[in-house]
Amino acid sequence: MEKKKKKGKWVKKRHVFIRFILITFVWPIIRAMYGYKYQKFKLKKNEKYIILSNHQTTLDPVFVGVSFNKPLYYVSNDDLLHQKFKSKLLSYCFGIIGKAKGKSDFMTVKTMLQVLKENGSVCVFPEGNRTFSGRLCYINPAISKFVKGAKTPVVLYNIDGGYGVDPRWGLKRRKGHFRGYIKRILSVDEINNMSLEQLHQTITDELNIQTAPSSEEYQSKNQAEKIERVLYICPECHKKNEISSSGNTFTCNACHTTWEYTNNLTITKDNKLYKYSTVNAWYNYQIDDIRNTDYTNNALIFKDKNILLYESVNHSVKKVIKKGEVALFGNELHVQDQIFKLEELTGVAASGKQQLMFRLNDCVYTIENDKDKRNDFNALKYVLTINYIKSVLIEQKEEFLGI
């Protein structure tokens, strides 16, 4: 009888060595670039934690990791698995745990438990998404079930100022207050004494950071640049897709109203606070517009030119299969001549600064701007609208916006 192959360990000695090299030679450069300050936390031998953090910047795994004296094992968007070289490199160096964005994943949970069993510490960003608006994104209650079942203490970590320094929609970094610290530690006994609802509320409350208005200033000559990646409806004339930005200001090209995005992360008009005085307030206005729009006639909602559609089958390297125009209707998503029924799509989510991802059967599709055309693509409006239509109108469930 053929012997069953022994399963290898996830926690490797090389991860300690690689971390030492990066902390010694690479981290000082990153720290100088971002001006990041952080609290240190010493993990004892064989001591392990589940670290949960809010998610504000691209390099959040780095900013959380430097607080601890041992390697952390991060749960990451499995879009990395569709990038052959990067996937192998990150897996080898850091033991990245892949997870499908916008989808529960049994194998992810199994791997996380294996890491904990090997006395490794797991780091999760339970929002599963960087914030576009500055507010905490939706946190799936499944994280509370995992924490309950893992029987492991939890560190609740806060990244504060990341939205000011490196907003998801922005093009360049800004200078300003930026720090990371441990907000709270939950013991196993504390976790056991909480209901799932209480635990979920505790996690949500402790990870929630007030980003704007900010008492700190974030200096940039291009404060508002690319804000149209998150703000796409003009509150003055109600036109969509007409906002463009330059420097510290942005303008509706339909009614010519101009706003300024200030160093305190507020929005002003004619040197006075605007009625939607933060990106989050304007974001909420857009959410209300989605809720109040009639989609039952299946009419055209959005349309964008100069995009690329990628396809990845069973974790293969993604390939471009369409170029041209994307259009969203009340029941379908069109990319050139390829038609996707909204009811059949799963895991609709935003990736990076301007990518739309979704799944259909064994395929992962990504829509992004054609960089050769030098245009921008607001993926957020598609994510919010498709998830609203699917959850409320098609599935008739509780509202879910995907972010």
Side-chain angles (χ1 to χ4, degrees), residues 9-229:
K9 286 190 173 184
W10 198 274
V11 176
K12 308 282 189 181
K13 289 183 179 179
R14 67 169 177 263
H15 298 151
V16 177
F17 175 72
I18 291 170
R19 181 186 183 277
F20 171 77
I21 295 297
L22 294 175
I23 286 289
T24 303
F25 298 104
V26 180
W27 168 241
I29 299 171
I30 296 175
R31 185 177 187 178
M33 289 169 61
Y34 284 86
Y36 183 68
K37 298 179 181 179
Y38 58 99
Q39 177 184 352
K40 291 185 178 181
F41 185 89
K42 188 172 183 179
L43 291 165
K44 298 174 184 176
K45 187 177 181 180
N46 296 329
E47 190 175 35
K48 60 191 176 185
Y49 286 89
I50 298 168
I51 294 101
L52 303 181
S53 174
N54 61 320
H55 198 3
Q56 294 189 344
T57 80
T58 307
L59 294 180
D60 282 351
V62 176
F63 297 134
V64 175
V66 293
S67 280
F68 300 86
N69 61 321
K70 293 181 182 179
L72 304 182
Y73 292 85
Y74 300 94
V75 178
S76 175
N77 172 15
D78 77 347
D79 182 43
L80 292 173
L81 299 177
H82 311 139
Q83 303 172 39
K84 198 170 184 180
F85 175 75
K86 186 184 288 187
S87 170
K88 288 184 177 181
L89 181 65
L90 290 174
S91 296
Y92 180 83
C93 293
F94 308 109
I96 298 293
I97 304 168
K99 181 189 179 300
K101 196 179 264 281
K103 179 182 175 184
S104 297
D105 196 324
F106 170 75
M107 287 306 298
T108 302
V109 173
K110 189 175 179 181
T111 305
M112 291 162 70
L113 292 174
Q114 179 186 341
V115 170
L116 293 172
K117 188 176 180 180
E118 296 172 12
N119 290 320
S121 291
V122 173
C123 181
V124 183
F125 298 95
E127 296 165 271
N129 249 303
R130 281 179 64 190
T131 177
F132 272 101
S133 67
R135 75 176 184 185
L136 193 73
C137 297
Y138 169 81
I139 293 180
N140 193 317
I143 191 64
S144 302
K145 293 180 182 179
F146 170 74
V147 167
K148 275 272 190 181
K151 306 296 182 184
T152 304
V154 171
V155 172
L156 295 166
Y157 193 95
N158 281 180
I159 294 174
D160 184 15
Y163 188 75
V165 169
D166 182 24
R168 183 171 183 177
W169 46 265
L171 198 61
K172 298 178 181 178
R173 290 188 308 276
R174 300 97 201 277
K175 293 182 179 180
H177 166 86
F178 186 25
R179 66 183 182 128
Y181 58 93
I182 290 148
K183 180 70 180 294
R184 182 174 174 182
I185 297 176
L186 298 177
S187 68
V188 174
D189 286 342
E190 282 182 280
I191 294 167
N192 288 339
N193 289 330
M194 292 183 187
S195 66
L196 285 173
E197 292 75 17
Q198 288 172 328
L199 180 57
H200 182 262
Q201 191 61 52
T202 298
I203 292 170
T204 301
D205 289 345
E206 299 294 3
L207 296 187
N208 196 19
I209 296 287
Q210 173 67 40
T211 59
S214 173
S215 57
E216 305 284 343
E217 289 201 351
Y218 295 87
Q219 303 291 335
S220 174
K221 295 179 180 179
N222 302 286
Q223 196 72 267
E225 195 165 0
K226 304 303 179 184
I227 203 168
E228 61 268 30
R229 291 174 179 172

